Amino acid sequence: MWNHTPVTEFFLMGIPYTKGLENVLFVLFLAFYLLTLLGNLLILLAILTSSTLHTPMYFFLGNLSVFDIFFPSVGSPQMMLSLMGQSRTISYKGCACQLFFYHFLGCTECFLYTVMAYDRFAAICHPLRYTVIMNRRVCTVMTLGTWMGSCLHASVLTFLIFKLPYCGPNEVDNFFCDIPVVLPLACADTSVAQTVSFTNVGVVALLCFLLILTSYTRIVISILKISSLEGRRRAFSTCSAHLTSILLFYGPVVLIYLRPASSPWLDSVVQVLNNIVTPSLNPLIYTLRNKDVKLALRNALLRGVHTCGA
């Protein structure tokens, strides 16, 4: 047997082919990151301070905003520090934590979009029974289920990846630790871990997608039965923001985990879109065409200004 020294830290290579663009990328990513934090905090402020938004739809939207605050924080600060010329190394435990929280929060979003699709299904297809179907207890159980299921999912993936020995190269070909870039560095047979981990991710994503598709199929059928054109338009407008967010979420998932060949540059670009750009767009998607959120946010800000003035 060969005497190998276990890896104690990993070196994050960053985004390929971006040498000389560090300052530009730092300013760009920092702007997106701050926009993400500000936008989602404002949505939380509007939902918490307005009694008219204390409904199941906005309860789940508030959960999504919490997710969108934490999700880009998994890898973005480390990436921006490396762009400033700081150390690109991350400890072994730090890498494991990064992978866990990335998949924990990513799976939470996947489950949350599924729950939000069911909420829209109940509201449009069963409007008279909506408050009974989506009562406070059901909403709480669904939310706890998404977080607990995601924790289990991420724990399994993290255990599979980091129970393998790492004793050879320690250069992670990305700006943060994820399965496609960490697993090839293991100095052991990775076939079982690779099969189980990618099957796990694929099954979760596919199952959630099928449930979302089923909900929206029923929704479309119900909307087409509405006689008035204005009623159809209002019903479709309540679902358009959710559908846009779903497309922005599932696009990167398919490109990263469910395609046969891997490209470091494409993976990094898609991860940037998934980690930084999409969370900053969700507040815009959910507020630009939502009069209730805009009105609640305006009232909350006016109350804040009056309080400060007094």
Side-chain angles (χ1 to χ4, degrees):
M1 294 182 61
W2 295 91
N3 185 19
H4 292 296
T5 303
V7 169
T8 58
E9 62 181 18
F10 292 96
F11 185 80
L12 302 174
M13 299 296 289
I15 305 173
Y17 312 116
T18 56
K19 189 174 181 180
L21 300 173
E22 288 85 358
N23 292 334
V24 175
L25 291 176
F26 173 78
V27 173
L28 184 64
F29 294 156
L30 179 62
F32 271 113
Y33 185 61
L34 293 177
L35 181 64
T36 299
L37 297 181
L38 177 63
N40 286 289
L41 285 172
L42 288 176
I43 286 183
L44 280 175
L45 175 66
I47 293 173
L48 292 174
T49 57
S50 176
S51 59
T52 59
L53 299 185
H54 293 172
T55 62
M57 182 176 78
Y58 294 109
F59 173 74
F60 295 126
L61 179 59
N63 277 270
L64 183 65
S65 295
V66 172
F67 155 81
D68 281 334
I69 290 172
F70 286 108
F71 186 65
S73 301
V74 173
S76 299
Q78 176 84 29
M79 179 185 63
M80 287 186 284
L81 285 174
S82 65
L83 289 172
M84 291 176 63
Q86 302 296 320
S87 174
R88 294 191 175 193
T89 59
I90 183 171
S91 68
Y92 181 88
K93 292 182 179 179
C95 187
C97 289
Q98 205 172 60
L99 189 143
F100 170 82
F101 282 109
Y102 179 75
H103 284 276
F104 168 60
L105 294 168
C107 187
T108 301
E109 182 180 22
C110 190
F111 288 155
L112 199 54
Y113 280 136
T114 308
V115 170
M116 291 171 76
Y118 178 76
D119 172 71
R120 292 298 82 209
F121 159 75
I124 294 173
C125 299
H126 304 284
L128 299 179
R129 298 172 51 215
Y130 175 63
T131 54
V132 177
I133 296 172
M134 299 300 295
N135 58 60
R136 180 172 294 184
R137 181 174 176 274
V138 170
C139 293
T140 303
V141 169
M142 282 184 166
T143 304
L144 290 175
T146 61
W147 291 92
M148 292 174 66
S150 302
C151 184
L152 177 63
H153 168 78
S155 298
V156 170
L157 292 180
T158 307
F159 172 76
L160 283 172
I161 303 305
F162 286 94
K163 76 180 182 69
L164 296 169
Y166 290 87
C167 47
N170 66 340
E171 295 181 345
V172 176
D173 205 5
N174 208 331
F175 60 89
F176 77 109
C177 294
D178 194 15
I179 296 172
V181 290
V182 172
L183 195 57
L185 302 179
C187 50
D189 182 22
T190 62
S191 57
V192 175
Q194 185 173 6
T195 302
V196 174
S197 60
F198 282 92
T199 301
N200 195 349
V201 173
V203 167
V204 168
L206 181 61
L207 181 61
C208 290
F209 180 77
L210 290 176
L211 291 173
I212 292 170
L213 186 63
T214 302
S215 295
Y216 273 100
T217 301
R218 296 287 301 274
I219 288 171
V220 170
I221 293 172
S222 295
I223 290 176
L224 293 177
K225 292 179 180 178
I226 299 175
S227 56
S228 68
L229 187 62
E230 178 64 19
R232 290 184 184 181
R233 189 192 65 79
R234 290 183 61 185
F236 272 120
S237 67
T238 60
C239 301
S240 59
H242 185 227
L243 284 172
T244 304
S245 294
I246 289 171
L247 292 174
L248 289 173
F249 172 75
Y250 273 96
V253 170
V254 171
L255 287 173
I256 295 170
Y257 299 104
L258 304 181
R259 60 190 176 88
S262 178
S263 167
W265 181 82
L266 180 61
D267 287 348
S268 296
V269 171
V270 173
Q271 292 283 20
V272 167
L273 292 175
N274 192 36
N275 289 14
I276 300 174
V277 179
T278 299
S280 68
L281 294 179
N282 275 342
L284 299 176
I285 292 170
Y286 281 99
T287 56
L288 284 179
R289 298 182 61 185
N290 193 314
K291 294 179 182 179
D292 294 333
V293 174
K294 287 191 286 188
L295 179 62
L297 185 58
R298 188 183 300 116
N299 292 336
L301 293 176
L302 287 176
R303 282 197 299 269
V305 170
H306 291 157
T307 303
C308 293

